[in-house]
Amino acid sequence: MIVALAGGVGGAKLAQGLSLALPPDDLTVIGNTADDMIHFGLRISPDLDTVLYTLAGMANPTTGWGIAGDTTRTLDLLKRLGAEDWFLIGDLDFAIHIRRSALLAAGQSLTAATAALTRGLGVRAAILPMCDEPVATVVETPDGPLSFQDYFVRRRHQDPVTAIRFAGIEAATVPDGVAAALASAEVIILCPSNPLVSLGPILAVPGFRDRLTAAPGPRVAVSPIIGGRALKGPADRMLAGLGHDVSPLGVARLYRDFLDGLVLDEEDAALAAEIEALGLRTLVTRTIMGEADDRRRLAVETLGFARSLTLVARAGR
Ligand code: GDP
Ligand code: CA
């Protein structure tokens, strides 16, 4: 089993590359649920949906999230009826949220509901939520605490972030399926997602990091930071604001307690030596993913790199 940890748009691109590079049943993607919210009474899981739509080949190619060709007639009418429209939900998108909410209301776990949606859309990879308990990212800003989608979507991630916490994380547990996937992982890949708010919550589920460290296969990450910037979103400003290096080296430091190797972009080749000095191996390649072929290419290179790593004791731990 190949296990990938993914947030939203950045993570989903590499997850798709992996799904194209591997036999259909060999991929398990563990997704972030700390961005989830209840909106219009529906349970919305933005990161799981981005992975789901991307693996199903349905994602909007322009945004990376939402469904290609979707329309907003439902949201438009909701707005006329007085509802808020700052969180964009397409007409087809609504179907997913309605179905998920119904399955949860009928007593299914988020894991089971997600499996049903995944099957329904014909996706062969397993998509597993990081936990079944509700967890919510709270972003502390000079204007006070903001819920994640308030910060990210409504306020367009403009606020300086002074702290991040995951409300409810203490009560979260690693689901059996996640534990089983980690225990049998040939390779674990941390996709290029925001380290603080996309992969951070997954790593913060009590017991997750220990299981990751104990997994049999090597653990490699692909840096979401290239040339001192995030390709999209606030990861660069968040890292800087919280005192981290905005570089693959900063990413390596965040994961160094469990990571075996880091894939970094050609643009950052000069940092490879310093990352290796932390006790990690590195692969320098082109890491900006375009269309499917390109995603597949980076997935193949990352898998090859991971498989080449021998699990000898590493310096600096
Ligand atoms: P979100 O939940 O939709 O914000 O998505 P993620 O957390 O999964 O992804 C956001 C991160 O993906 C940003 O830090 C981007 O720099 C990174 N990213 C997006 N596209 C690419 C890409 O093609 N290559 C790499 N290396 N990183 C990317
Ligand atoms: Ca997200």
Side-chain angles (χ1 to χ4, degrees):
M1 183 59 65
I2 303 296
V3 175
L5 313 190
V9 172
K13 286 199 223 171
L14 187 62
Q16 185 188 18
L18 289 165
S19 77
L20 297 169
L22 292 166
D25 300 317
D26 278 9
L27 177 65
T28 295
V29 183
I30 301 174
N32 172 39
T33 61
D35 290 9
D36 289 19
M37 64 170 174
I38 306 281
H39 197 54
F40 304 136
L42 300 172
R43 171 67 178 267
I44 303 190
S45 299
D47 281 359
L48 294 180
D49 287 342
T50 296
V51 171
L52 178 60
Y53 298 158
T54 304
L55 292 187
M58 294 166 56
N60 178 330
T62 311
T63 56
W65 51 268
I67 295 176
D70 210 351
T71 44
T72 58
R73 298 183 64 199
T74 308
L75 193 63
D76 294 344
L77 184 55
L78 280 165
K79 187 176 186 198
R80 277 178 56 197
L81 298 173
E84 295 184 347
D85 68 344
W86 57 272
F87 192 81
L88 199 66
I89 302 178
D91 296 326
L92 298 177
D93 214 3
F94 264 110
I96 299 293
H97 308 319
I98 290 168
R99 185 67 184 143
R100 172 188 295 113
S101 303
L103 293 170
L104 293 173
Q108 291 200 15
S109 65
L110 184 61
T111 297
T114 305
L117 298 175
T118 304
R119 260 195 320 276
L121 294 184
V123 171
R124 295 281 295 275
I127 301 174
L128 305 180
M130 67 188 206
C131 63
D132 285 315
E133 302 82 1
V135 172
T137 297
V138 178
V139 175
E140 298 285 353
T141 74
D143 282 357
L146 301 174
S147 71
F148 186 76
Q149 299 303 346
D150 199 10
Y151 156 78
F152 195 81
V153 180
R154 192 191 329 227
R155 295 168 69 110
R156 298 169 198 277
H157 48 74
Q158 294 306 313
D159 299 83
V161 175
T162 55
I164 295 165
R165 61 194 161 82
F166 309 123
I169 198 79
E170 317 75 34
T173 57
V174 176
D176 290 345
V178 169
L182 291 174
S184 68
E186 183 201 335
V187 164
I188 298 171
I189 296 175
L190 281 78
C191 293
S193 289
N194 185 317
L196 301 175
V197 292
S198 289
L199 299 192
I202 303 176
L203 298 172
V205 174
F208 189 93
R209 255 180 136 97
D210 290 342
R211 292 176 190 276
L212 186 59
T213 308
R219 290 143 288 254
V220 303
V222 176
S223 175
I225 301 295
I226 299 174
R229 292 178 308 279
L231 293 182
K232 191 169 172 290
D236 42 11
R237 281 169 287 129
M238 268 188 181
L239 284 166
L242 296 173
H244 302 286
D245 244 34
V246 188
S247 73
L249 180 61
V251 174
R253 288 199 185 110
L254 284 168
Y255 300 148
R256 68 176 296 191
D257 58 307
F258 61 79
L259 202 66
D260 299 293
L262 184 71
V263 179
L264 60 155
D265 197 81
E266 285 170 349
E267 194 177 334
D268 295 310
L271 292 171
E274 238 179 308
I275 294 166
E276 299 224 340
L278 293 176
L280 305 182
R281 305 288 295 279
T282 58
L283 172 70
V284 177
T285 185
R286 254 182 339 103
T287 67
I288 298 183
M289 289 173 278
E291 297 307 307
D293 281 355
D294 208 28
R295 298 174 186 193
R296 185 175 190 283
R297 188 241 344 131
L298 183 59
V300 168
E301 287 186 40
T302 302
L303 283 167
F305 168 59
R307 287 175 168 141
S308 75
L309 298 182
T310 49
L311 298 176
V312 292
R314 293 165 300 268
R317 302 286 173 97

